[in-house]
Amino acid sequence: MNKYRYLYNTTLSLLSNLLLVMGCFILCRIIFLAENWNAFSDLTARRIWRMFEGGFLFDTSAILYTNLLYIFLMLIPLHYKENIIYQKITKGIFIVTNLIVIIMNLMDTVYFQYTHRRTTASVFSEFKNEGNLGGILGTELLNHWYLTLLAVAFGYALFKLYCKPRVMKVSHLPVYYTVNLIILGVAVYLCVGGMRGGFTGMVRPITISNANKYVDRPIETGIVLNTPFSIYRTLGKKPFIVPQYFDKEKLETIYSPIHLPKDSTQFRPLNVVVFILESFGKENSGFLNEDLDNGTYKGYMPFLDSIMSEGLTFKYSFSNGMKSIDGMPSVLSGIPMFVEPFFLTPASLNTVSSIGGELKKKGYYTAFFHGADNGSMGFEAFARTVGYTNYYGRTEYNEANPGNKDFDGHWGIWDEKFFQFFANALSTFQQPFAAALFSLSSHHPFAVPTEYEGIFPKGNKAIRQCIGYTDNALKLFFEKVSKEPWYKNTLFVFTADHTNSQERPEYETESGLFSVPIVFYQPGTDLKGYRKEVIAQQIDIMPTVLGYLGYDKPYISFGCDLLNTQPEDTYAVNYINGIYQFFKGEYLLHFDGQKSIAMYAFKTDKLLEHNLLGEVAGQQQMEDELKAIIQQYMTCMNNDKLVIK
């Protein structure tokens, strides 16, 4: 038999090496779970085993996709592959390609802490304009040095444990080619089945959403999935597919994103200033957490808390996404994040409006401010597209402050400096104006200017002192602008783009991960109150602002006017790991696109421990409303119907 070993020589080596990679993927999942243990709750050995079983399916698919070239080179029915040079080349291809995807998994071990989902192909568009990634990655390599060492260890293991086929001289070529053709045919069949996740015609290729089959909570899909699979399965995919839940007539009776003005509307030309505060999650607020620590919790943003006490805010308020690029369309244009960030989809080329775009029709001067490099995160392009005529970024700041040393070394201009620049600029604008600012200092790597080290409470998370720093910058901004003649004629709006660095259990749930403050404030008016019965969301900001001003033109927004909607009719929607979330009344519904999978009394069951699916009388009505929102959203995206034409 030994003289015929070449008939299965490379096949056995191939199988051995693919099993080696599988072992690496399993270790990566263990590392991922250990690093992110606090992000998950109630994990039992049985549930973890179930997730690992599901993970085997997704790992198999990813490994086969990654190694298609290597598999072909090892099984190609040519006897030349049995020589030493050919095998050295295939070994090099094997090590390089698999080490790359292993590093992807290790990197996502850290990135997951900010996004709470596995990275998809959209990441390549998300950061394509960022010139600071080298520095950020360098910082992370130092902060997570042990992951860097693990990457080196994985590379060494792939090199040392690689099973090399013996170099053999082939005889009996007809037999060799016949057997190897059969092996190749079997391998093609197995690879197709492995990549698809099954072998029957009834099995559709598995995708990210299939991970929900193995978990009880959407956030847990991060354990089941792996990053290479998530990227492979989203490359070139159309994110928006219109479901046919209802016919057009019934759809319109359930939900429509079109907002029509009342006949009695009287427009008030107030200035509008919107602050989108980086990572200012609700957990940082003392005002919104009056029950924490037996009523002694102070939070980390005392100035914004003081604004809440003087303005209008809401106990149950949510973001519509989990990234900075989700926040801007939600806050300014009333567009939630479903499936993929709006910025990164073909729908971003649609005609889109915004608070600034609508008010521009009324003669407003409009401007958007962000202290990063112009073009960063696609903010400038989006702002101009939706009606903010002028953009003020790091370029404009440097022009106004030549020779300054206000760059934070990572993202852009320190918030305090940029907020003062913002204040100065606003005082030069012709009224009425609509301006928005996106802050940046409360961003990884969570540093503050040297002169502020030790000034603000640090708590248990590095971001806390940054929240305090930006909150103080906001205080200094208001001390400046409160003396301006336009101040009292201005509506101020505050919210966060998303949450970050949660530490309390109630803020690590699928509800808490989206909990952000939403605040409306006009000095010296009766726009006040703490609405504990109202559910609010970022996409409500546009219709609420326009409603408060008495805007008299129709427009599109997927939110509602919080000042003119009954408390029982307000709602919030968001999307996490293949699951749509719908908050309404007392309940939170989880819907996978086809069926409801969970229902929680989120106001009282703060840890979402009791699934009430099938036990709530209004479940079907909630599901129908959510279906209608999804169907309208997908229709508007695919048919370029985000504005009234």
Side-chain angles (χ1 to χ4, degrees):
M1 286 293 293
N2 192 52
K3 69 177 182 177
Y4 294 110
R5 182 182 175 121
Y6 53 76
L7 295 177
Y8 52 85
N9 184 31
T10 52
T11 305
L12 291 179
S13 296
L14 170 65
L15 292 174
S16 177
N17 293 328
L18 293 180
L19 288 174
L20 172 61
V21 180
M22 177 62 75
C24 292
F25 268 59
I26 293 172
L27 286 174
C28 284
R29 180 167 286 105
I30 293 171
I31 294 166
F32 174 89
L33 183 56
E35 181 77 7
N36 295 284
W37 182 264
N38 291 333
F40 309 105
S41 59
D42 301 323
L43 291 182
T44 63
R46 182 177 180 180
R47 291 182 61 212
I48 292 173
W49 178 255
R50 181 184 174 204
M51 294 178 203
F52 273 61
E53 282 185 323
F56 179 79
L57 187 70
F58 294 95
D59 288 352
T60 298
S61 181
I63 290 169
L64 291 174
Y65 273 114
T66 301
N67 288 281
L68 278 178
L69 175 60
Y70 173 70
I71 292 169
F72 176 74
L73 291 175
M74 289 291 279
L75 296 183
I76 185 172
L78 293 174
H79 65 280
Y80 302 108
K81 71 182 181 184
E82 307 292 341
N83 71 66
I84 190 169
I85 296 177
Y86 186 95
Q87 287 304 322
K88 283 185 176 180
I89 294 172
T90 55
K91 179 180 179 179
I93 292 171
F94 173 84
I95 292 172
V96 171
T97 54
N98 286 290
L99 184 57
I100 289 173
V101 297
I102 288 170
I103 290 173
M104 286 181 185
N105 274 328
L106 293 176
M107 291 176 68
D108 227 12
T109 296
V110 177
Y111 194 43
F112 179 84
Q113 297 168 15
Y114 305 105
T115 63
H116 301 95
R117 71 169 189 167
R118 287 285 185 167
T119 296
T120 63
S122 64
V123 72
F124 300 116
S125 299
E126 183 176 350
F127 294 109
K128 67 180 180 181
N129 294 319
E130 303 307 311
N132 58 347
L133 291 185
I136 297 298
L137 289 174
T139 301
E140 284 303 318
L141 288 175
L142 293 175
N143 291 341
H144 299 87
W145 54 269
Y146 48 93
L147 294 178
T148 305
L149 292 180
L150 283 169
V152 174
F154 276 118
Y156 182 75
L158 291 174
F159 179 79
K160 292 297 291 185
L161 300 179
Y162 181 85
C163 180
K164 295 186 294 185
R166 291 184 184 178
V167 178
M168 304 185 71
K169 184 177 180 181
V170 176
S171 56
H172 305 286
L173 286 179
V175 177
Y176 178 90
Y177 280 97
T178 300
V179 171
N180 275 268
L181 277 172
I182 294 172
I183 291 174
L184 180 62
V186 172
V188 169
Y189 174 75
L190 294 176
C191 285
V192 171
M195 290 186 293
R196 286 173 55 88
F199 292 92
T200 69
M202 299 297 291
V203 176
R204 298 184 65 185
I206 56 172
T207 188
I208 293 173
S209 61
N210 293 100
N212 286 290
K213 175 182 176 182
Y214 303 95
V215 301
D216 296 335
R217 306 273 288 273
I219 193 174
E220 293 168 353
T221 58
I223 301 173
V224 179
L225 294 167
N226 61 74
T227 304
F229 176 86
S230 299
I231 291 176
Y232 293 151
R233 294 300 295 148
T234 52
L235 279 170
K237 295 293 184 182
K238 184 177 181 180
F240 302 135
I241 300 174
V242 181
Q244 299 301 316
Y245 298 130
F246 308 107
D247 60 41
K248 185 176 181 180
E249 183 177 350
K250 186 173 183 180
L251 178 65
E252 293 294 332
T253 63
I254 300 174
Y255 172 80
S256 173
I258 299 175
H259 292 253
L260 300 173
K262 296 179 181 179
D263 294 335
S264 59
T265 295
Q266 294 290 322
F267 184 71
R268 297 185 296 163
L270 300 176
N271 304 312
V272 178
V273 173
V274 178
F275 280 90
I276 305 174
L277 300 168
E278 174 67 47
S279 300
F280 264 56
K282 180 181 170 184
E283 188 175 7
N284 295 289
S285 169
F287 183 88
L288 296 174
N289 290 285
E290 55 191 353
D291 299 328
L292 284 185
D293 298 342
N294 297 317
T296 64
Y297 183 73
K298 295 184 181 300
Y300 299 89
M301 48 189 198
F303 180 75
L304 187 56
D305 280 346
S306 71
I307 291 288
M308 292 183 203
S309 66
E310 293 295 322
L312 174 66
T313 191
F314 309 88
K315 184 175 180 62
Y316 303 103
S317 50
F318 302 95
S319 67
N320 297 103
M322 303 185 77
K323 294 182 178 181
S324 295
I325 56 174
D326 300 329
M328 196 168 161
S330 297
V331 173
L332 300 181
S333 298
I335 299 174
M337 195 290 282
F338 284 168
V339 185
E340 287 291 348
F342 175 77
F343 276 16
L344 310 180
T345 68
S348 64
L349 300 177
N350 291 350
T351 303
V352 185
S353 191
S354 66
I355 296 171
E358 294 302 318
L359 293 181
K360 192 174 178 180
K361 298 174 184 177
K362 305 294 288 185
Y364 274 58
Y365 177 90
T366 59
F368 185 86
F369 291 72
H370 183 56
D373 288 342
N374 295 46
S376 175
M377 304 296 287
F379 288 172
E380 181 176 9
F382 181 79
R384 293 187 187 279
T385 297
V386 301
Y388 287 90
T389 304
N390 294 282
Y391 185 89
Y392 294 81
R394 187 181 172 196
T395 298
E396 288 71 22
Y397 181 89
N398 288 338
E399 289 173 354
N401 300 275
N404 74 83
K405 297 181 179 180
D406 301 330
F407 178 57
D408 66 6
H410 296 283
W411 291 101
I413 306 301
W414 291 111
D415 278 350
E416 180 183 324
K417 299 293 185 180
F418 199 73
F419 283 18
Q420 292 295 301
F421 171 68
F422 183 42
N424 290 333
L426 291 176
S427 295
T428 67
F429 293 166
Q430 178 181 339
Q431 297 187 65
F433 56 76
L437 179 143
F438 205 130
S439 74
L440 58 71
S441 290
S442 44
H443 203 298
H444 183 277
F446 307 129
V448 296
T450 305
E451 63 268 27
Y452 281 110
E453 282 290 349
I455 299 296
F456 304 106
K458 292 188 176 182
N460 297 319
K461 295 283 186 175
I463 193 176
R464 304 302 181 213
Q465 68 168 345
C466 300
I467 297 292
Y469 165 72
T470 296
D471 182 72
N472 186 67
L474 196 61
K475 177 183 178 182
L476 296 176
F477 168 87
F478 269 84
E479 287 178 357
K480 187 178 186 69
V481 301
S482 61
K483 302 169 186 175
E484 297 296 323
W486 53 264
Y487 175 66
K488 290 188 176 181
N489 192 49
T490 302
L491 172 65
F492 294 92
V493 185
F494 309 86
T495 190
D497 54 344
H498 54 73
T499 62
N500 201 330
S501 301
Q502 296 79 10
E503 57 180 302
R504 293 176 182 264
E506 58 266 47
Y507 286 106
E508 293 177 335
T509 67
E510 285 78 5
S511 171
L513 289 172
F514 291 91
S515 293
V516 300
I518 294 177
V519 190
F520 298 90
Y521 172 66
Q522 186 186 1
T525 68
D526 60 358
L527 186 64
K528 298 177 182 293
Y530 183 23
R531 304 283 178 85
K532 297 186 178 182
E533 74 282 11
V534 174
I535 294 173
Q537 58 185 327
Q538 289 171 333
I539 60 173
D540 295 335
I541 290 175
M542 178 179 175
T544 303
V545 167
L546 296 180
Y548 185 68
L549 270 58
Y551 187 65
D552 54 3
K553 298 180 183 296
Y555 61 91
I556 299 287
S557 170
F558 291 90
C560 62
D561 179 350
L562 295 170
L563 298 174
N564 293 289
T565 303
Q566 294 299 313
E568 63 270 19
D569 293 329
T570 60
Y571 61 88
V573 290
N574 37 55
Y575 181 91
I576 178 171
N577 296 328
I579 301 299
Y580 295 93
Q581 297 197 134
F582 187 52
F583 299 81
K584 190 166 187 181
E586 304 297 315
Y587 299 101
L588 163 60
L589 178 72
H590 281 175
F591 179 68
D592 69 2
Q594 298 296 323
K595 63 183 183 302
S596 296
I597 62 172
M599 174 82 89
Y600 300 100
F602 75 97
K603 292 181 179 179
T604 53
D605 181 13
K606 294 183 178 180
L607 299 183
L608 307 185
E609 297 176 307
H610 307 292
N611 189 345
L612 303 177
L613 191 68
E615 301 176 21
V616 177
Q619 177 181 315
Q620 187 59 53
Q621 182 179 347
M622 284 184 68
E623 182 177 310
D624 286 348
E625 289 180 27
L626 177 57
K627 284 180 176 178
I629 292 170
I630 296 169
Q631 187 170 340
Q632 290 278 24
Y633 180 93
M634 300 302 177
T635 300
C636 289
M637 290 296 170
N638 284 344
N639 297 315
D640 193 5
K641 292 184 176 180
L642 292 171
V643 296
I644 304 293
K645 298 180 179 179

